[in-house]
Amino acid sequence: WTVVYYNNFSQGKKVPEYVNKLSNTNFGIVIFDELHKLKHSAAKWTRNIKEVIDSIPTKWGATATLSANKPMDVKGQLEIIGHWLGDVKEKKFKAEFAGAYDTEPEEAVENLNKWLNLTGVYVRRSKGEIRKMPNLKVGKETAFHDEGEFSKRYRETLSKYKNPNLAVSKLIAARESIATMKVPETVKKVIKTVADKQHKPDNNYAASKVVVFTNFKESGKRLADRIGENLKKINPEFRTITYLGDTPSAERRQVKNVFTNDPNAKVLVMSMKMGSTGIDFPNAARNMVVNDFDWTPESAEQSEGRIYRINTDHPVDISYMVSQGI
């Protein structure tokens, strides 16, 4: 097995050398994990990947996430895996498969997905089809916030940005402000969960462990600090660990082992960007709290999958903190 990352094909001076070396290796199969990330056929990494895989006879794509926002994204994925439908001319694809001229975009996506499943281009398997899964409960906790408080925090946050007049800067500042404002309610939810479930009769430490997701360094730091302070009031040995952008690499490598095996490591605060793929805790925690949202549902779905996996043996409870009043 040779395992490489998509960004290896787009970043750094050694990309041409890297592509050339892989192109001259006689691979028999290529598997694209998280295939939905390769939806743009004109992207630099996609072009380089195509060069590498041109002579590989068998190509598979795999994803547990919504595969596309637009029908044309699907075409890009089909091109990558070498399916004949990916070679159809763009105009013809839009007319015959994407419903671009007589169908609403959302309906076109649904129709194309149905067609791909019925014809076997997609082979869909849910967790429930593979084995009887434990219960997954997904709910929300409402956090009420004052408009004036938000406006003040938003202005302060935006003023620190390099280009505050950009629309995207304003959107990020709004998200970051709300994420920080939600911290107190998230802390209460997490501490209550640990306190209520710490004495489970089956002595299963996972019952009182919580994974917390956030998208920003400031909210992550506040969550870790405040949760840590409150955990010690329950039990001086209880602690929180982090998997954030500023968590040292050496500590990140130990996170899975520590959180899974140390009964006193009660809460794990994770960056949604860093921790929503590539690391999982299938039976280490039964609870998750999502403090704030990324740009798309994809990240939230991936985050849920950190503790609700095919080999999870216990029920999972996930709560989203939703801000009201703004």
Side-chain angles (χ1 to χ4, degrees):
W1 291 88
T2 298
V3 181
V4 295
Y5 296 94
Y6 292 140
N7 59 13
N8 290 147
F9 294 94
S10 63
Q11 299 175 5
K13 297 178 180 179
K14 292 189 175 182
V15 170
E17 177 187 336
Y18 194 68
V19 169
N20 182 61
K21 182 177 180 180
L22 289 171
S23 298
N24 290 292
T25 304
N26 295 320
F27 294 113
I29 297 174
V30 57
I31 300 174
F32 298 102
D33 193 24
E34 310 294 358
L35 178 66
H36 57 278
K37 294 184 181 295
L38 298 179
K39 56 193 177 185
H40 301 301
S41 57
K44 182 178 179 181
W45 66 7
T46 306
R47 295 198 308 270
N48 286 328
I49 289 170
K50 281 183 177 179
E51 186 176 335
V52 169
I53 66 168
D54 185 53
S55 61
I56 300 177
T58 302
K59 304 177 182 71
W60 291 337
T63 178
T65 305
L66 292 171
S67 61
N69 295 322
K70 305 173 187 174
M72 295 309 294
D73 294 344
V74 176
K75 184 180 186 300
Q77 294 164 21
L78 294 170
E79 285 183 46
I80 283 288
I81 63 172
H83 192 273
W84 63 266
L85 189 55
D87 293 330
V88 174
K89 297 294 184 184
E90 185 171 317
K91 186 175 180 180
K92 182 180 176 68
F93 186 93
K94 285 182 176 180
E96 297 191 13
F97 297 101
Y101 304 112
D102 57 2
T103 311
E104 290 297 317
E106 294 83 1
E107 186 181 348
V109 170
E110 286 302 312
N111 289 341
L112 181 58
N113 275 330
K114 288 177 184 176
W115 186 89
L116 293 167
N117 277 283
L118 289 169
T119 56
V121 179
Y122 285 173
V123 180
R124 181 169 293 178
R125 292 287 183 270
S126 68
K127 291 184 177 79
E129 288 176 309
I130 299 172
R131 59 166 287 210
K132 186 175 181 181
M133 291 294 294
N135 186 51
L136 171 65
K137 178 184 177 185
V138 180
K140 68 177 182 179
E141 298 281 331
T142 303
F144 291 93
H145 294 117
D146 178 70
E147 179 75 34
E149 180 193 354
F150 165 73
S151 297
K152 179 183 177 183
R153 190 179 295 273
Y154 166 72
R155 289 193 298 271
E156 290 174 353
T157 302
L158 189 61
S159 68
K160 300 173 186 176
Y161 288 9
K162 185 177 180 181
N163 297 304
N165 293 321
L166 294 177
V168 70
S169 297
K170 296 174 182 178
L171 287 166
I172 295 172
R175 289 176 54 227
E176 185 172 1
S177 301
I178 294 172
T180 305
M181 290 170 70
K182 287 183 186 177
V183 167
E185 287 84 0
T186 298
V187 172
K188 288 179 187 176
K189 172 68 177 176
V190 171
I191 296 302
K192 186 176 187 305
T193 301
V194 174
D196 290 349
K197 299 181 179 181
Q198 63 175 320
H199 300 301
K200 278 287 183 181
D202 60 0
N203 201 31
N204 188 321
Y205 298 115
S208 59
K209 290 196 175 195
V210 187
V211 178
V212 182
F213 273 102
T214 183
N215 285 280
F216 299 95
K217 286 183 180 179
E218 179 63 25
S219 54
K221 186 176 185 306
R222 291 192 184 202
L223 284 164
D225 290 345
R226 294 188 186 184
I227 290 171
E229 292 168 5
N230 283 275
L231 282 176
K232 293 191 180 302
K233 294 176 183 177
I234 303 174
N235 185 325
E237 295 186 2
F238 287 175
R239 62 195 180 98
T240 180
I241 56 178
T242 60
Y243 194 85
L244 302 167
D246 55 359
T247 303
S249 297
E251 290 183 25
R252 288 183 206 164
R253 288 194 291 270
Q254 299 173 23
V255 162
K256 181 171 182 174
N257 181 56
V258 173
F259 189 62
T260 302
N261 298 308
D262 184 350
N264 291 320
K266 289 295 180 185
V267 179
L268 171 61
V269 179
M270 299 187 78
S271 158
M272 191 170 280
K273 182 176 182 180
M274 290 174 52
S276 62
T277 59
I279 186 170
D280 56 83
F281 311 88
N283 290 296
R286 294 188 181 184
N287 313 281
M288 178 180 290
V289 179
V290 180
N291 182 74
D292 52 277
F293 302 94
D294 199 358
W295 295 112
T296 70
E298 174 194 334
S299 298
E301 289 179 7
Q302 291 280 15
S303 299
E304 290 181 12
R306 296 317 93 204
I307 65 171
Y308 192 68
R309 304 191 69 76
I310 193 63
N311 55 334
T312 298
D313 294 326
H314 52 64
V316 169
D317 192 339
I318 298 174
S319 294
Y320 285 87
M321 303 304 294
V322 181
S323 183
Q324 299 290 329
I326 295 175

